[in-house]
Amino acid sequence: MVWRRTQKSRLFYNYFFSYVFIFLVPFVVMSAFIYYHSVTSLRQEITQSNINKLEQVKDLTDARIKELENIATRISFDSRLTPYRVRHPYYGGQATDELKRYLANSSILDGLFLYYRGHDQLYTPGGSVTFYTFVHSLYHFNHADIEQFKNEIETTKEKIVYPIKFFNADRKNESRFVAYLYPILPNDSAPYGTVVFLINESVLTKLIEDILGDFDGNVYIFNDENDVLASKNNGPSLAFNEVNQLALRKAGVDDFELNQQNYSVVTVSSKVSGWTFVTAIPTAQFYERVVHLKTVIVVILSSIAVVGLRLAGLITTRQYRPIHSLYQFLVAKHPLDLSYQSENNELISIRKSMELVFEHSRHLR
């Protein structure tokens, strides 16, 4: 009976929407605050976490590059590794031992060679070899790379880092290395030699292989010429032109479309080495935790809203019932002349009914 009446009562809905308004205003403000700050904080946490991973790799490689530069500087000032000493029949043995010691001092080097310009010999921890023997027998260079390598060690005035490939003896399989050429004396306008460091690509790959974790994606290390020095792929690898686009990204986090799929690209650059470290992870995976958090927040807030609306309905019913009962009592006592019921508001009807009672009372007196 009450419920049927409440379906038609303007007073009931006035009460109900008043309570709903009182509930919804702080609820919406609080929900928006919680939603925005929770989602924003998690996005920042995910972004910073991925940047920190690349920063750690950058710091490790910077330390190794400084280590190589220190070795090259010490070699350039080492009296036992002068052009005269390394070519001397007696002192040449001491020079070889010295190169062995420098090679052993680095944890990332696969090879260390010393070249004096204008000569055909390269000096290694195993002895001296001719340039021809070095590129054809010792490391089996790709023929297209020999001229570039020769030109770089002969003319470079600045340190150079670039990828290089070597073949095995039967030239069927290849190995990827990073060649680091350091002129000596450093900062000299006319260097007289070049220190050649060779780093196996697998050494750099080990530094970046844990960055992706369980995510599908790609990690790359680029030199200052945007050549790929090392890479690690979980899932599909990117095409060459897409990898080149990654090398041009600015430092930070950016959403980027690659291969018709949205990727979140994290980029960190090193001022020490000039290298750029990049991860490209599908955006759906990158922000998976954010999407999950959004879903949880929406479910929780929706549940609270439903509970709040039900409570508003219950409170309205409790507040409205005594008024409705009084109205029903007056209707029962004054069944006539109730055209004012069309107001559809029990308080107005009660007020008018009371006016009639007082008016009748006055006439009786």
Side-chain angles (χ1 to χ4, degrees):
M1 180 80 176
V2 173
W3 177 251
R4 288 181 182 177
R5 179 61 185 171
T6 60
Q7 297 299 308
K8 302 176 182 179
S9 172
R10 184 182 302 171
L11 178 63
F12 178 87
Y13 287 115
N14 287 341
Y15 273 129
F16 178 73
F17 288 118
S18 297
Y19 289 126
V20 168
F21 181 78
I22 293 171
F23 163 72
L24 283 182
V25 170
F27 174 75
V28 169
V29 173
M30 180 189 69
S31 299
F33 178 83
I34 293 174
Y35 182 87
Y36 175 78
H37 283 277
S38 298
V39 171
T40 302
S41 297
L42 183 57
R43 286 177 68 95
Q44 291 176 347
E45 178 186 337
I46 292 172
T47 299
Q48 193 58 49
S49 174
N50 283 272
I51 291 176
N52 289 343
K53 289 179 182 179
L54 285 182
E55 288 282 356
Q56 290 176 1
V57 175
K58 178 187 74 71
D59 292 341
L60 285 173
T61 55
D62 285 352
R64 297 295 179 266
I65 292 298
K66 289 180 179 179
E67 177 183 293
L68 297 183
E69 291 179 354
N70 289 335
I71 291 175
T73 302
R74 287 159 58 193
I75 288 175
S76 65
F77 292 104
D78 194 329
S79 60
R80 286 164 291 191
L81 293 175
T82 61
Y84 169 77
R85 285 289 191 108
V86 295
R87 292 197 297 269
H88 193 277
Y90 175 74
Y91 295 114
Q94 292 182 350
T96 298
D97 292 338
E98 196 68 6
L99 288 175
K100 287 180 181 179
R101 186 172 65 83
Y102 284 123
L103 179 62
N105 285 339
S106 175
S107 59
I108 65 171
L109 283 182
D110 189 84
L112 168 61
F113 312 99
L114 181 58
Y115 175 76
Y116 289 109
R117 301 178 182 185
H119 299 276
D120 190 49
Q121 297 288 321
L122 280 90
Y123 301 95
T124 77
S128 63
V129 294
T130 64
F131 181 82
Y132 181 89
T133 301
F134 181 84
V135 298
H136 289 285
S137 300
L138 192 59
Y139 276 96
H140 305 287
F141 273 61
N142 183 5
H143 294 295
D145 296 332
I146 293 176
E147 190 61 33
Q148 179 189 1
F149 181 74
K150 175 67 173 177
N151 182 66
E152 297 291 5
I153 64 174
E154 189 69 48
T155 63
T156 184
K157 295 181 180 180
E158 299 177 349
K159 60 183 180 181
I160 298 175
V161 180
Y162 69 96
I164 193 167
K165 297 178 182 178
F166 300 135
F167 293 92
N168 61 1
D170 58 9
R171 306 190 72 83
K172 291 183 178 179
N173 298 316
E174 66 178 23
S175 300
R176 291 178 56 88
F177 285 76
V178 173
Y180 180 26
L181 278 55
Y182 194 90
I184 54 175
L185 293 170
N187 303 319
D188 196 297
S189 59
Y192 62 85
T194 304
V195 179
V196 180
F197 299 110
L198 289 181
I199 306 169
N200 197 309
E201 184 189 48
S202 61
V203 174
L204 299 178
T205 302
K206 287 180 180 178
L207 294 176
I208 61 177
E209 63 184 359
D210 294 330
I211 290 179
L212 293 173
D214 296 329
F215 288 142
D216 293 335
N218 307 268
V219 187
Y220 299 95
I221 299 178
F222 299 95
N223 66 2
D224 54 359
E225 297 294 330
N226 298 331
D227 299 315
V228 177
L229 300 181
S231 64
K232 176 66 177 178
N233 302 316
N234 281 354
S237 58
L238 299 176
F240 178 77
N241 62 322
E242 294 171 333
V243 174
N244 283 347
Q245 293 180 57
L246 292 179
L248 303 176
R249 308 310 297 174
K250 295 181 179 179
V253 181
D254 189 18
D255 291 335
F256 192 56
E257 185 174 342
L258 296 170
N259 196 22
Q260 298 182 343
Q261 184 176 2
N262 290 326
Y263 281 81
S264 291
V265 180
V266 183
T267 305
V268 171
S269 299
S270 170
K271 295 181 180 179
V272 174
S273 63
W275 296 2
T276 301
F277 305 81
V278 180
T279 61
I281 301 173
T283 302
Q285 291 190 53
F286 191 82
Y287 291 119
E288 184 178 9
R289 288 171 57 196
V290 174
V291 174
H292 177 70
L293 178 64
K294 286 181 178 179
T295 303
V296 171
I297 291 176
V298 169
V299 170
I300 293 175
L301 295 180
S302 299
S303 301
I304 294 174
V306 170
V307 172
L309 292 175
R310 290 183 64 87
L311 286 175
L314 291 174
I315 295 172
T316 300
T317 301
R318 293 189 63 179
Q319 295 293 323
Y320 172 75
R321 185 177 286 116
I323 298 173
H324 183 72
S325 297
L326 179 59
Y327 170 79
Q328 293 286 12
F329 172 78
L330 292 175
V331 169
K333 295 297 183 180
H334 299 276
L336 301 176
D337 196 17
L338 293 177
S339 59
Y340 50 80
Q341 293 182 44
S342 62
E343 294 286 347
N344 201 21
N345 187 314
E346 286 83 346
L347 287 177
I348 295 177
S349 298
I350 291 171
R351 180 177 61 80
K352 290 187 176 182
S353 181
M354 294 299 294
E355 288 176 354
L356 286 174
V357 170
F358 284 115
E359 183 67 20
H360 290 166
S361 177
R362 188 177 63 82
H363 284 304
L364 287 174
R365 285 197 299 274

